[in-house]
Amino acid sequence: ISEFTRLWAEREFGPAHAAEIADIVSQYTRFNGRRKPELLEPTTFSLTDYREAEKVAADFQTITAKAEQISRALPENARDAFFELVLHPTKASAQVTELYVTAGKNRLYASQGRASTNDLAARTKALFQADADLSAYYNHTLANGKWNHMMDQTHIGYTYWQEPRQNSMPSVKEIELPAAAEMGVAVEGSASAWPGAEGDPVLPAFDVFNQQRRYVDVFNKGQAPFEFAATTSAPWIVLSPAHGTVEKEQRIWVSVDWAKAPREMDGWIKISRSGSTEVTVRVKGFYPQAPTRASLDGYVEADGYVSIEAEHFTRKTTRGPLAWEKIDGLGRTLSSMTVFPVTAESATPPDAPCLEYRMYLFDAGKVEVEAILSPTLNFVPDRGLRYAISFDDQPPQIVDALAQNSQRDWETSVKDAVRKVKSTHTLEGPGYHTLKFWMVDPAVVLQKLVVNLGGVKPSYLGPPESYRWGML
């Protein structure tokens, strides 16, 4: 499929930018496949966990900038076609995505009292106008108005299946700001703000495998700027920056110097404004003696979960002509795995093709596994769509992905472009375990697996992939 897209781009725009154009088209269609633009809401992507909303918007911004760069490099007689086929769908999708993310941030920041709340309200309005301007350009300016009315269909403000009468901007909030400065602090992983919220803020945990970078936002709740300074309880906590002037807000990036980190990691960051409030942010980390990054064999639990992209299996077994194969680009976050040939008869584990995922778990007992599947319909009468799943040598559980298949379930799978199916398992002890995903019926398309040991936080795309052996 990717080669077809490149050949198409070369045929239309020549070989010089064909690979880049093909990548842009493949990326924007995949990003839209996460959720159709008309179904987006300010709360679709998480604004607090996994930096999800920021990453989704940044993904679109990156390919839009590339498309605009290529447009300028193309001969003038190719630019209209490039706008119609590549730049417009990419930029229009990017703007609508950023519109909803910005509206969501505006509402979050209003609840925290941030001075930048009103800036985000203005940015939301500007993006709504930019969307209208882009449609007007397509209708009236492009090719001297040749395609008038092509972009008349409304696409912002859907509340049910029928298109709205007119595009409606998502609501935003504006707040009154006092003249005097007032410091506020927010941390990754929380919608609360300090001082004011209960207890001390706590950053999501760091671990030696993923070696994350977390953030703390120092923000103004007034109009006058102020100076802040941040100190740490130990040299293994690294801040960038550690002081500065805040007019609206300043993001402090927090990381760990693992060469200095102790095995028991419990520290703090104190953020202060001269002569005013001080906020203490708790910092916790996980640095076990074993396994190490070098000795790890497979995935590793961190933050109370293991998140797995389907194509990154440890081992796969075939049964005669039946085999799990990768479909590049089909999936909300990477790709998918499905069994070929697609006309295969149903199979019964253990006499069925199997994907295996080896992982090291620090917790035991009851665990939940969420399989994120492409939303295949029940195309065989009187039968669902089944797979089997197990840990280690436990008997495979046969799971029907369509066991819950009400009208509401179907609507959710259409909106989310996936079907999420959960199973529960019991593990006797920590250590290495192998998760096995077996074929039962053809047309089960696996995108991602999330092993939840109690740490998974709400998000649209699920937690980012966990560290595994060999990851850079």
Side-chain angles (χ1 to χ4, degrees):
I1 294 174
S2 60
E3 177 63 6
F4 174 88
T5 312
R6 189 195 65 77
L7 290 170
W8 168 82
E10 183 176 334
R11 184 188 73 187
E12 300 299 331
F13 303 108
H17 302 286
E20 294 171 299
I21 293 170
D23 182 65
I24 291 167
V25 171
S26 298
Q27 293 279 48
Y28 96 74
T29 50
R30 184 166 69 86
F31 296 160
N32 280 345
R34 292 167 170 169
R35 195 172 181 95
K36 298 175 182 67
E38 64 269 24
L39 295 178
L40 289 172
E41 300 173 276
T43 56
T44 298
F45 302 111
S46 177
L47 296 160
T48 56
D49 295 311
Y50 311 126
R51 299 211 292 276
E52 183 176 67
E54 293 178 19
K55 291 175 181 177
V56 166
D59 285 344
F60 262 122
Q61 290 164 2
T62 297
I63 60 170
T64 300
K66 191 65 180 176
E68 290 178 325
Q69 180 184 356
I70 292 172
S71 179
R72 291 189 294 268
L74 288 173
E76 190 162 349
N77 63 1
R79 290 178 189 169
D80 282 358
F82 184 78
F83 180 86
E84 295 156 12
L85 296 170
V86 182
L87 179 54
H88 175 269
T90 302
K91 188 171 184 176
S93 302
Q95 286 183 166
V96 170
T97 300
E98 187 182 352
L99 168 74
Y100 281 104
V101 169
T102 304
K105 286 179 68 175
N106 162 265
R107 298 177 192 181
L108 173 63
Y109 285 14
S111 71
Q112 295 173 338
R114 296 199 194 200
S116 56
T117 297
N118 298 342
D119 294 339
L120 290 174
R123 176 63 180 161
T124 303
K125 295 172 185 176
L127 286 163
F128 185 71
Q129 184 60 50
D131 174 83
D133 293 344
L134 193 63
S135 295
Y137 175 84
Y138 203 120
N139 285 339
H140 307 303
T141 304
L142 177 70
N144 297 315
K146 177 180 180 180
W147 302 112
N148 191 23
H149 302 300
M150 184 65 79
M151 289 300 148
D152 280 359
Q153 183 172 359
T154 53
H155 49 274
I156 300 174
Y158 274 69
T159 56
Y160 69 118
W161 68 267
Q162 178 62 282
E163 65 185 40
R165 290 181 178 272
Q166 61 185 26
N167 289 324
S168 301
M169 189 188 83
S171 63
V172 293
K173 296 184 178 182
E174 295 182 339
I175 60 176
E176 294 289 333
L177 297 175
E182 183 180 348
M183 185 182 79
V185 172
V187 300
E188 181 177 346
S190 174
S192 299
W194 289 264
E198 291 185 10
D200 288 337
V202 182
L203 278 172
F206 296 84
D207 70 85
V208 71
F209 304 103
N210 293 280
Q211 300 193 359
Q212 304 92 334
R213 188 172 69 150
R214 308 295 195 187
Y215 68 81
V216 175
D217 285 343
V218 182
F219 60 87
N220 202 343
K221 302 175 78 170
Q223 298 181 43
F226 66 86
E227 300 289 323
F228 83 92
T231 57
T232 67
S233 61
W236 54 267
I237 304 172
V238 181
L239 308 179
S240 180
H243 56 81
T245 301
V246 175
E247 294 187 2
K248 296 290 179 68
E249 57 196 30
Q250 173 68 61
R251 176 157 290 184
I252 302 174
W253 289 105
V254 185
S255 57
V256 170
D257 184 341
W258 292 100
K260 298 177 181 178
R263 295 291 178 185
E264 298 294 328
M265 298 171 63
D266 190 352
W268 48 255
I269 304 165
K270 286 188 177 177
I271 302 166
S272 59
R273 175 185 159 221
S274 179
S276 185
T277 312
E278 181 178 83
V279 174
T280 300
V281 179
R282 306 301 303 185
V283 179
K284 296 182 180 294
F286 186 57
Y287 193 1
Q289 289 190 330
T292 65
R293 265 187 153 210
S295 68
L296 182 67
D297 180 17
Y299 284 89
V300 64
E301 175 194 349
D303 244 0
Y305 67 84
V306 179
S307 180
I308 300 166
E309 293 290 351
E311 72 169 67
H312 293 149
F313 52 84
T314 308
R315 179 173 176 260
K316 70 173 181 176
T317 56
T318 60
R319 287 293 183 268
L322 304 182
W324 288 96
E325 300 294 345
K326 180 174 70 169
I327 305 177
D328 280 321
L330 176 62
R332 301 196 307 177
T333 51
L334 184 61
S335 62
S336 296
M337 298 291 294
T338 195
V339 168
F340 286 92
V342 295
T343 53
E345 297 291 330
S346 298
T348 303
D351 189 25
C354 182
L355 295 169
E356 298 184 8
Y357 301 90
R358 184 169 167 83
M359 64 192 71
Y360 191 96
L361 303 178
F362 296 95
D363 295 292
K366 185 177 178 180
V367 301
E368 179 184 83
V369 179
E370 182 177 72
I372 300 177
L373 311 172
S374 293
T376 311
L377 296 174
N378 50 333
F379 57 92
V380 176
D382 303 318
R383 195 200 75 196
L385 195 70
R386 300 165 298 172
Y387 64 88
I389 190 166
S390 62
F391 274 96
D392 305 323
D393 295 324
Q394 295 177 0
Q397 295 183 33
I398 295 181
V399 180
D400 184 358
L402 299 175
Q404 304 297 320
N405 199 26
S406 66
Q407 176 78 11
R408 184 177 293 274
D409 293 321
W410 175 81
E411 290 172 353
T412 300
S413 70
V414 170
K415 289 190 293 186
D416 293 351
V418 293
R419 188 176 285 271
K420 298 179 179 180
V421 187
K422 295 179 180 178
S423 58
T424 56
H425 309 262
T426 301
L427 302 178
E428 291 185 359
Y432 281 106
H433 295 277
T434 299
L435 176 61
K436 299 176 181 179
F437 192 91
W438 310 77
M439 173 209 171
V440 175
D441 295 325
V444 171
V445 182
L446 177 65
Q447 297 187 12
K448 190 171 184 173
L449 291 163
V450 180
V451 181
N452 186 3
L453 297 107
V456 173
K457 297 178 180 178
S459 66
Y460 183 72
L461 299 174
E465 188 170 32
S466 300
Y467 182 84
R468 68 185 192 281
W469 177 85
M471 263 183 86
L472 297 177

Coordinates of all heavy atoms in Angstrom, one line a residue, residues 76-138:
E76 N 4.8 26.2 -10.1 CA 3.6 26.9 -9.8 C 2.4 26.2 -10.4 O 1.3 26.2 -9.8 CB 3.6 28.3 -10.3 CG 2.5 29.2 -9.8 CD 2.7 30.7 -10.0 OE1 3.9 31.1 -10.2 OE2 1.8 31.4 -9.8
N77 N 2.6 25.6 -11.6 CA 1.4 24.9 -12.2 C 1.0 23.6 -11.5 O 0.0 23.0 -12.0 CB 1.7 24.7 -13.7 CG 2.9 23.7 -13.9 OD1 3.5 23.2 -13.0 ND2 3.2 23.4 -15.2
A78 N 1.8 23.2 -10.5 CA 1.4 22.0 -9.8 C 0.8 22.3 -8.4 O 0.3 21.4 -7.7 CB 2.6 21.1 -9.6
R79 N 0.8 23.6 -8.0 CA 0.5 23.9 -6.6 C -1.0 23.8 -6.4 O -1.4 23.4 -5.3 CB 1.0 25.3 -6.3 CG 2.5 25.4 -6.2 CD 3.0 26.8 -5.9 NE 4.4 26.9 -6.0 CZ 5.1 28.0 -6.0 NH1 4.5 29.2 -5.9 NH2 6.4 28.0 -6.1
D80 N -1.9 24.1 -7.3 CA -3.3 24.0 -7.1 C -3.7 22.5 -6.9 O -4.4 22.2 -5.9 CB -4.1 24.5 -8.3 CG -4.2 26.0 -8.3 OD1 -3.7 26.6 -7.3 OD2 -4.8 26.6 -9.2
A81 N -3.1 21.6 -7.7 CA -3.4 20.2 -7.5 C -2.9 19.7 -6.2 O -3.5 18.9 -5.5 CB -2.8 19.4 -8.7
F82 N -1.7 20.2 -5.8 CA -1.1 19.7 -4.6 C -2.0 20.2 -3.4 O -2.2 19.5 -2.4 CB 0.3 20.3 -4.4 CG 1.0 19.8 -3.2 CD1 1.6 18.5 -3.1 CD2 1.1 20.6 -2.1 CE1 2.2 18.1 -2.0 CE2 1.8 20.2 -0.9 CZ 2.3 18.9 -0.9
F83 N -2.5 21.5 -3.5 CA -3.4 22.0 -2.4 C -4.6 21.1 -2.3 O -5.0 20.7 -1.2 CB -3.8 23.4 -2.8 CG -4.7 24.0 -1.7 CD1 -4.1 24.7 -0.6 CD2 -6.0 24.0 -1.9 CE1 -5.0 25.2 0.4 CE2 -6.9 24.6 -0.9 CZ -6.3 25.2 0.2
E84 N -5.2 20.8 -3.5 CA -6.5 20.0 -3.5 C -6.2 18.6 -2.9 O -7.1 18.1 -2.1 CB -7.0 19.9 -4.9 CG -7.4 21.2 -5.4 CD -7.5 21.2 -7.0 OE1 -7.4 20.2 -7.6 OE2 -7.5 22.3 -7.6
L85 N -5.1 18.0 -3.3 CA -4.9 16.6 -3.0 C -4.2 16.3 -1.7 O -4.3 15.2 -1.1 CB -4.2 15.9 -4.1 CG -5.0 15.8 -5.5 CD1 -4.1 15.4 -6.6 CD2 -6.2 14.9 -5.3
V86 N -3.3 17.2 -1.3 CA -2.4 17.0 -0.1 C -2.5 18.1 0.9 O -2.8 17.8 2.1 CB -1.0 16.8 -0.6 CG1 -0.1 16.5 0.6 CG2 -0.9 15.7 -1.7
L87 N -2.2 19.3 0.5 CA -2.1 20.4 1.6 C -3.4 20.7 2.2 O -3.5 20.8 3.5 CB -1.5 21.6 0.9 CG -1.4 22.8 1.9 CD1 -0.5 22.5 3.1 CD2 -0.7 24.0 1.1
H88 N -4.5 20.8 1.5 CA -5.8 21.2 2.1 C -6.3 20.1 3.1 O -6.6 20.5 4.3 CB -6.9 21.5 1.1 CG -8.2 21.7 1.7 ND1 -9.1 20.7 2.0 CD2 -8.8 22.8 2.2 CE1 -10.2 21.2 2.6 NE2 -10.0 22.5 2.8
P89 N -6.4 18.9 2.7 CA -6.8 17.9 3.7 C -5.9 17.8 4.9 O -6.4 17.5 6.0 CB -6.9 16.6 2.9 CG -6.1 16.8 1.7 CD -6.1 18.2 1.4
T90 N -4.6 17.9 4.7 CA -3.7 17.9 5.8 C -3.9 19.1 6.8 O -4.1 18.9 8.0 CB -2.3 17.8 5.3 OG1 -2.1 16.7 4.5 CG2 -1.3 17.7 6.5
K91 N -3.9 20.3 6.2 CA -4.0 21.5 7.0 C -5.4 21.6 7.6 O -5.5 22.0 8.8 CB -3.7 22.7 6.1 CG -3.6 24.0 6.9 CD -3.1 25.1 6.0 CE -2.8 26.4 6.8 NZ -2.3 27.5 5.9
A92 N -6.4 21.3 6.9 CA -7.8 21.4 7.4 C -7.9 20.5 8.6 O -8.5 20.9 9.7 CB -8.8 21.1 6.3
S93 N -7.4 19.3 8.5 CA -7.5 18.3 9.6 C -6.7 18.8 10.8 O -7.1 18.6 12.0 CB -7.0 16.9 9.1 OG -7.8 16.5 8.0
A94 N -5.5 19.3 10.5 CA -4.7 19.8 11.6 C -5.3 21.0 12.4 O -5.3 21.0 13.6 CB -3.3 20.3 11.0
Q95 N -6.0 21.9 11.6 CA -6.6 23.1 12.3 C -7.8 22.6 13.1 O -8.0 23.2 14.2 CB -7.0 24.1 11.2 CG -5.9 24.8 10.6 CD -6.3 25.9 9.6 OE1 -5.5 26.7 9.2 NE2 -7.5 25.8 9.1
V96 N -8.6 21.7 12.6 CA -9.7 21.3 13.4 C -9.3 20.5 14.7 O -9.9 20.7 15.7 CB -10.7 20.4 12.6 CG1 -11.8 19.8 13.4 CG2 -11.4 21.3 11.5
T97 N -8.3 19.7 14.5 CA -7.7 19.0 15.7 C -7.2 20.0 16.7 O -7.5 19.9 17.9 CB -6.6 18.0 15.3 OG1 -7.1 17.1 14.4 CG2 -6.0 17.3 16.5
E98 N -6.4 21.0 16.3 CA -5.8 22.0 17.2 C -7.0 22.8 17.8 O -6.9 23.2 19.0 CB -4.8 22.9 16.5 CG -4.1 23.8 17.4 CD -3.1 24.8 16.7 OE1 -2.9 24.6 15.5 OE2 -2.6 25.7 17.4
L99 N -8.0 23.1 17.0 CA -9.2 23.9 17.5 C -9.7 23.2 18.8 O -10.0 23.8 19.8 CB -10.2 24.0 16.4 CG -11.6 24.5 16.8 CD1 -11.5 26.0 17.1 CD2 -12.6 24.2 15.8
Y100 N -10.0 21.9 18.7 CA -10.6 21.2 19.8 C -9.7 21.0 21.0 O -10.1 21.1 22.1 CB -11.2 19.8 19.3 CG -12.5 19.9 18.6 CD1 -12.6 19.8 17.2 CD2 -13.7 20.2 19.3 CE1 -13.8 19.9 16.6 CE2 -14.9 20.3 18.7 CZ -15.0 20.2 17.3 OH -16.2 20.3 16.7
V101 N -8.4 20.7 20.7 CA -7.4 20.6 21.8 C -7.3 22.0 22.5 O -7.2 22.0 23.7 CB -6.1 20.2 21.2 CG1 -5.0 20.3 22.3 CG2 -6.1 18.7 20.7
T102 N -7.2 23.0 21.7 CA -7.1 24.4 22.4 C -8.3 24.7 23.2 O -8.2 25.3 24.3 CB -6.9 25.4 21.3 OG1 -5.7 25.1 20.5 CG2 -6.6 26.8 21.9
A103 N -9.5 24.4 22.7 CA -10.7 24.6 23.5 C -10.7 23.8 24.8 O -11.1 24.3 25.8 CB -12.0 24.3 22.6
G104 N -10.2 22.6 24.7 CA -10.1 21.8 25.9 C -9.2 22.4 26.9 O -9.4 22.4 28.1
K105 N -8.0 22.8 26.4 CA -7.0 23.4 27.3 C -7.6 24.7 27.9 O -7.3 25.0 29.1 CB -5.7 23.8 26.5 CG -4.9 22.5 26.2 CD -3.6 22.9 25.4 CE -2.6 23.7 26.2 NZ -1.4 23.9 25.5
N106 N -8.3 25.5 27.1 CA -8.9 26.7 27.6 C -9.8 26.4 28.8 O -9.7 27.1 29.9 CB -9.7 27.4 26.5 CG -10.7 28.4 27.1 OD1 -11.9 28.1 27.3 ND2 -10.3 29.6 27.3
R107 N -10.6 25.4 28.7 CA -11.5 25.0 29.9 C -10.7 24.5 31.1 O -11.1 24.9 32.2 CB -12.5 24.0 29.4 CG -13.4 24.5 28.3 CD -14.4 23.4 27.8 NE -15.0 23.7 26.5 CZ -15.9 22.9 25.9 NH1 -16.2 21.7 26.4 NH2 -16.4 23.3 24.8
L108 N -9.7 23.7 30.8 CA -8.9 23.2 31.9 C -8.2 24.4 32.6 O -8.1 24.5 33.8 CB -7.8 22.3 31.4 CG -6.8 21.8 32.4 CD1 -7.4 21.0 33.5 CD2 -5.7 20.9 31.7
Y109 N -7.6 25.3 31.8 CA -6.8 26.4 32.4 C -7.8 27.4 33.1 O -7.4 28.0 34.1 CB -6.1 27.2 31.3 CG -4.8 26.4 30.8 CD1 -4.6 25.1 31.1 CD2 -3.9 27.1 30.0 CE1 -3.5 24.4 30.6 CE2 -2.7 26.4 29.6 CZ -2.5 25.1 29.9 OH -1.4 24.5 29.4
A110 N -9.0 27.5 32.6 CA -10.0 28.4 33.3 C -10.2 27.8 34.7 O -10.3 28.6 35.7 CB -11.2 28.5 32.5
S111 N -10.3 26.5 34.8 CA -10.6 25.8 36.1 C -9.4 26.0 37.1 O -9.6 26.0 38.3 CB -10.9 24.4 36.0 OG -9.7 23.6 35.6
Q112 N -8.2 26.2 36.5 CA -7.0 26.4 37.3 C -6.7 27.9 37.6 O -5.8 28.2 38.4 CB -5.8 25.8 36.6 CG -5.9 24.3 36.5 CD -4.8 23.7 35.6 OE1 -4.2 24.4 34.8 NE2 -4.5 22.4 35.8
G113 N -7.4 28.7 36.9 CA -7.2 30.2 37.1 C -6.0 30.7 36.4 O -5.5 31.8 36.8
R114 N -5.6 30.1 35.3 CA -4.3 30.6 34.6 C -4.6 31.9 33.8 O -5.6 32.0 33.2 CB -3.8 29.5 33.7 CG -3.4 28.2 34.3 CD -2.5 27.4 33.3 NE -2.3 26.0 33.7 CZ -1.3 25.3 33.3 NH1 -0.4 25.8 32.4 NH2 -1.2 24.0 33.7
A115 N -3.6 32.7 33.9 CA -3.6 34.0 33.1 C -3.7 33.7 31.6 O -4.2 34.6 30.9 CB -2.4 34.8 33.4
S116 N -3.2 32.6 31.1 CA -3.3 32.3 29.7 C -4.6 31.8 29.2 O -4.8 31.5 28.0 CB -2.2 31.3 29.4 OG -2.3 30.1 30.1
T117 N -5.6 31.7 30.1 CA -6.9 31.2 29.7 C -7.5 32.0 28.6 O -8.0 31.5 27.6 CB -7.9 31.2 31.0 OG1 -7.4 30.4 32.0 CG2 -9.3 30.8 30.6
N118 N -7.4 33.3 28.7 CA -8.0 34.2 27.7 C -7.3 34.1 26.4 O -7.9 34.3 25.3 CB -8.1 35.6 28.2 CG -9.0 35.7 29.5 OD1 -9.8 34.8 29.8 ND2 -8.9 36.8 30.2
D119 N -6.0 33.9 26.5 CA -5.2 33.7 25.2 C -5.7 32.5 24.5 O -5.7 32.5 23.2 CB -3.7 33.6 25.6 CG -3.1 34.8 26.2 OD1 -3.7 35.9 26.0 OD2 -2.1 34.7 26.8
L120 N -6.0 31.4 25.2 CA -6.4 30.2 24.6 C -7.8 30.4 24.0 O -8.2 29.8 23.0 CB -6.4 29.0 25.5 CG -5.0 28.6 25.9 CD1 -5.1 27.5 27.0 CD2 -4.3 28.0 24.8
A121 N -8.7 31.2 24.7 CA -10.0 31.5 24.1 C -9.8 32.2 22.8 O -10.5 31.9 21.8 CB -10.8 32.3 25.1
A122 N -8.9 33.2 22.7 CA -8.6 33.9 21.5 C -8.0 33.0 20.4 O -8.4 33.2 19.2 CB -7.7 35.1 21.8
R123 N -7.2 32.1 20.8 CA -6.6 31.2 19.9 C -7.7 30.3 19.3 O -7.6 30.0 18.1 CB -5.5 30.4 20.6 CG -4.8 29.3 19.7 CD -4.1 29.9 18.5 NE -3.5 28.8 17.7 CZ -3.1 29.0 16.4 NH1 -3.3 30.1 15.8 NH2 -2.6 28.0 15.7
T124 N -8.6 29.8 20.1 CA -9.7 29.0 19.6 C -10.5 29.7 18.6 O -10.8 29.2 17.5 CB -10.6 28.5 20.8 OG1 -9.8 27.9 21.8 CG2 -11.7 27.6 20.3
K125 N -10.8 31.0 18.9 CA -11.6 31.8 17.9 C -10.8 32.0 16.6 O -11.4 31.9 15.5 CB -11.9 33.1 18.5 CG -12.9 33.0 19.7 CD -13.0 34.4 20.4 CE -13.9 34.2 21.7 NZ -14.0 35.5 22.5
A126 N -9.5 32.2 16.7 CA -8.6 32.4 15.5 C -8.6 31.1 14.7 O -8.6 31.2 13.4 CB -7.2 32.8 16.0
L127 N -8.5 30.0 15.3 CA -8.5 28.7 14.6 C -9.8 28.4 13.9 O -9.9 27.9 12.8 CB -8.2 27.5 15.6 CG -6.7 27.5 16.0 CD1 -6.6 26.6 17.2 CD2 -5.8 26.9 14.9
F128 N -10.9 28.8 14.6 CA -12.3 28.7 14.0 C -12.4 29.5 12.7 O -12.9 29.1 11.7 CB -13.3 29.0 15.0 CG -14.7 28.8 14.5 CD1 -15.2 27.5 14.4 CD2 -15.6 29.9 14.2 CE1 -16.5 27.3 13.9 CE2 -16.9 29.7 13.8 CZ -17.4 28.4 13.6
Q129 N -11.8 30.7 12.8 CA -11.8 31.6 11.6 C -10.9 31.1 10.6 O -11.2 31.2 9.4 CB -11.4 33.1 12.1 CG -11.5 34.1 10.9 CD -12.9 34.2 10.4 OE1 -13.8 34.4 11.1 NE2 -13.0 34.2 9.0
A130 N -9.8 30.6 11.0 CA -8.8 30.0 10.0 C -9.4 28.9 9.2 O -9.2 28.7 8.0 CB -7.5 29.6 10.7
D131 N -10.2 28.1 9.9 CA -11.0 27.0 9.2 C -11.9 27.6 8.1 O -12.0 27.1 7.0 CB -11.7 26.2 10.2 CG -12.6 25.1 9.5 OD1 -12.1 24.0 9.2 OD2 -13.8 25.4 9.3
A132 N -12.6 28.6 8.5 CA -13.6 29.3 7.6 C -12.8 29.9 6.4 O -13.2 29.8 5.2 CB -14.4 30.3 8.3
D133 N -11.7 30.5 6.7 CA -10.8 31.1 5.6 C -10.3 30.1 4.7 O -10.2 30.3 3.5 CB -9.7 31.9 6.3 CG -10.2 33.1 7.1 OD1 -11.3 33.5 6.9 OD2 -9.4 33.6 7.9
L134 N -9.9 28.9 5.2 CA -9.3 27.9 4.4 C -10.4 27.3 3.4 O -10.2 27.1 2.2 CB -8.8 26.7 5.2 CG -7.9 25.7 4.5 CD1 -6.6 26.3 4.0 CD2 -7.5 24.6 5.5
S135 N -11.6 27.2 3.9 CA -12.7 26.7 3.1 C -13.1 27.8 2.0 O -13.3 27.4 0.9 CB -14.0 26.4 3.9 OG -13.7 25.3 4.8
A136 N -13.1 29.0 2.4 CA -13.4 30.1 1.5 C -12.3 30.2 0.4 O -12.6 30.4 -0.8 CB -13.4 31.4 2.2
Y137 N -11.0 30.0 0.7 CA -10.0 30.0 -0.3 C -10.2 28.9 -1.3 O -10.1 29.1 -2.5 CB -8.6 29.8 0.4 CG -7.5 29.6 -0.6 CD1 -6.9 30.8 -1.1 CD2 -7.1 28.4 -1.0 CE1 -5.8 30.6 -2.0 CE2 -6.0 28.2 -2.0 CZ -5.4 29.4 -2.5 OH -4.4 29.3 -3.4
Y138 N -10.6 27.7 -0.8 CA -10.9 26.6 -1.7 C -12.0 26.9 -2.6 O -12.0 26.7 -3.8 CB -11.2 25.3 -0.9 CG -11.0 24.0 -1.6 CD1 -10.1 23.0 -1.1 CD2 -11.7 23.7 -2.8 CE1 -9.9 21.8 -1.7 CE2 -11.5 22.5 -3.4 CZ -10.6 21.5 -2.9 OH -10.4 20.3 -3.5

